[in-house]
């Protein structure tokens, strides 16, 4: 194999990276965990020695959203702030959570539990997830939504853009009320890894809650992916927006399209030589973003770009 793509659980990606390097094959993955990416990056020297390229976090977020933000920083005049807002949602929400599982449940709870890395006032800081809920609006039929801090959505972007921006943050989009319910579950310990003794048996609440989520939130309807990346400079603002829905002909969900297609395109770029840099490298350093946007459009995933004047 020339290129290996991992769509497995994120916990396996550092081991798979090591195996890919040993096989002298390029490697990319869907990612989702900052600690795993750090272990992958520690293998940079081995990848360079083997003459291969490894790019973690190539899906939607982390992945496409961060690539758009990095490209926006290159294009605006005197960049100051970048805001990434991304969510995978059921097209027809059902209470109480108004959410359907569109990817790994462990990946979902990881996003909700781990701290969120942001840039504030030029400094790298961590903030608690499920906090600072804000309102945002997308075109009908989606209307008013909410967004809140979650983990892993920017991957290495905070490090890449440190010193280039005053502020950067990532928030997950959900239907209104979702954050309050999930935060209550977290506060009550439903996602704790600390065992409880129930009827003489020790159980961990987190995997039990994840099993309940899997049973109760399985995708039974069409989904939608919403993305809005805003990069603001002193004189102009660049906004990337994506609204993607399930393709009924292929059966590919919006989440599958917006995670799988960018990863597949990046894999092809490594295979055909459009990405040449060896080592374990963040995507924002080596992926030609304008070409990625064009390739996604060929596959029906269209990203609208709007430049606005800042007064």
């Amino acid at each position: 194999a020339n290129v290996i793509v991992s769509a497995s659980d994120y916990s396996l990606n550092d081991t798979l990276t090591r195996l890919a390097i040993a096989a002298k094959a390029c490697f990319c993955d869907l990612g989702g965990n900052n600690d795993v990416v750090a272990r992958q990056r520690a293998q940079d020297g081995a990848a360079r020695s083997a003459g291969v390229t490894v790019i973690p976090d190539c899906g939607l977020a982390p992945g496409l959203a961060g690539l758009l933000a990095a490209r926006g920083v290159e294009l605006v005049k005197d960049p100051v702030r970048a805001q990434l807002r991304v969510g995978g949602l059921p097209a027809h929400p059902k209470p109480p959570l108004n959410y359907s599982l569109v990817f790994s449940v462990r990946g979902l709870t990881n996003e909700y539990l781990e701290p969120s890395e942001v840039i504030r006032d030029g400094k790298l800081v961590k903030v608690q997830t499920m906090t600072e809920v804000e309102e945002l609006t997308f075109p009908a039929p989606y209307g008013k939504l909410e967004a809140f801090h979650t983990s892993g959505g920017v991957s290495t972007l905070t490090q890449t853009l440190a010193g280039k921006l005053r502020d950067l943050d990532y928030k997950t989009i959900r239907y209104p009320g979702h954050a309050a319910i999930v935060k209550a579950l977290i506060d009550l310990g439903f996602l704790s890894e600390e065992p409880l003794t129930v009827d003489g048996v020790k159980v961990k609440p987190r995997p039990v809650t994840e099993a309940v989520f899997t049973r109760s939130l399985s995708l039974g309807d069409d989904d939608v992916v919403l993305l809005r990346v805003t990069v603001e400079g002193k004189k102009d603002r660049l906004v990337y927006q994506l609204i993607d829905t399930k393709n009924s002909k292929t059966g590919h969900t919006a989440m599958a399209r917006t995670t799988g297609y960018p990863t597949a395109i990046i894999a092809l770029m490594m295979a055909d030589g459009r990405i040449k840099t060896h080592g374990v490298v963040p995507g924002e350093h080596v992926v030609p973003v304008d070409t990625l946007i064009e390739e996604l459009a060929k596959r029906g995933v269209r990203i609208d770009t709007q430049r606005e004047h800042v007064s």
Side-chain angles (χ1 to χ4, degrees):
N2 299 100
V3 182
I4 296 168
V5 177
S6 167
S8 65
D9 188 282
Y10 65 76
S11 65
L12 301 176
N13 284 334
D14 56 334
T15 299
L16 292 172
T17 296
R18 188 173 299 106
L19 294 171
I21 293 170
K24 297 187 183 302
C26 295
F27 179 86
C28 59
D29 62 55
L30 299 177
N33 182 276
N34 293 336
D35 292 336
V36 173
V37 173
R39 294 197 293 272
Q40 290 175 277
R41 295 191 71 185
Q43 302 179 55
D44 175 66
R48 283 189 281 109
S49 297
V52 300
T53 306
V54 175
I55 306 178
D57 288 355
C58 295
L60 172 62
L64 177 60
L67 294 173
L68 294 173
R71 183 59 175 146
V73 169
E74 295 175 344
L75 294 175
V76 304
K77 181 73 172 177
D78 299 324
V80 176
R81 178 187 300 110
Q83 295 179 321
L84 294 76
R85 305 292 183 262
V86 185
L89 301 168
H92 306 287
K94 298 177 181 178
L97 284 180
N98 294 319
Y99 182 73
S100 293
L101 276 175
V102 289
F103 62 100
S104 160
V105 68
R106 177 51 61 112
L108 174 71
T109 57
N110 182 75
E111 288 184 4
Y112 287 170
L113 291 171
E114 299 290 328
S116 176
E117 296 183 353
V118 305
I119 300 175
R120 282 194 175 166
D121 296 323
K123 298 179 181 179
L124 287 171
V125 298
K126 292 184 179 181
V127 298
Q128 184 180 347
T129 51
M130 313 305 299
T131 63
E132 299 183 12
V133 181
E134 65 183 46
E135 182 182 285
L136 71 167
T137 303
F138 271 77
Y142 309 108
K144 290 184 179 180
L145 302 160
E146 68 180 22
F148 47 87
H149 289 293
T150 55
S151 170
V154 292
S155 187
T156 54
L157 195 64
T158 49
Q159 301 165 38
T160 298
L161 297 180
K164 298 180 180 179
L165 289 174
R166 187 190 68 204
D167 300 298
L168 180 150
D169 64 18
Y170 172 89
K171 292 185 179 182
T172 288
I173 299 171
R174 293 286 185 263
Y175 289 109
H178 182 93
I181 296 173
V182 173
K183 189 174 186 309
L185 292 175
I186 294 171
D187 291 346
L188 289 169
F190 280 87
L191 291 175
S192 171
E193 293 280 8
E194 184 177 346
L196 295 173
T197 300
V198 181
D199 292 336
V201 178
K202 285 190 174 182
V203 294
K204 293 182 179 180
R206 181 177 180 180
V208 173
T209 302
E210 290 172 341
V212 172
F213 281 172
T214 301
R215 181 193 65 188
S216 303
L217 302 177
S218 58
L219 182 63
D221 205 346
D222 294 346
D223 70 325
V224 59
V225 165
L226 304 175
L227 174 151
R228 182 178 294 153
V229 173
T230 304
V231 181
E232 186 174 313
K234 292 181 179 179
K235 295 186 178 181
D236 60 345
R237 178 189 301 113
L238 194 61
V239 181
Y240 296 100
Q241 183 163 292
L242 164 69
I243 300 174
D244 196 69
T245 56
K246 180 180 178 180
N247 185 314
S248 57
K249 292 182 179 179
T250 64
H252 295 172
T253 64
M255 183 59 71
R257 288 160 53 85
T258 55
T259 57
Y261 292 5
T263 308
I265 292 166
I266 291 170
L268 288 170
M269 288 179 175
M270 290 193 287
D272 65 22
R274 281 178 286 178
I275 296 176
K276 302 179 185 295
T277 304
H278 293 156
V280 182
V281 290
E284 62 267 19
H285 290 184
V286 295
V287 174
V289 180
D290 294 342
T291 302
L292 177 62
I293 293 172
E294 293 171 3
E295 292 293 335
L296 284 169
K298 292 177 184 178
R299 293 156 175 81
V301 178
R302 293 178 175 82
I303 299 168
D304 296 322
T305 307
Q306 182 175 348
R307 188 181 291 271
E308 305 167 349
H309 177 72
V310 176
S311 57

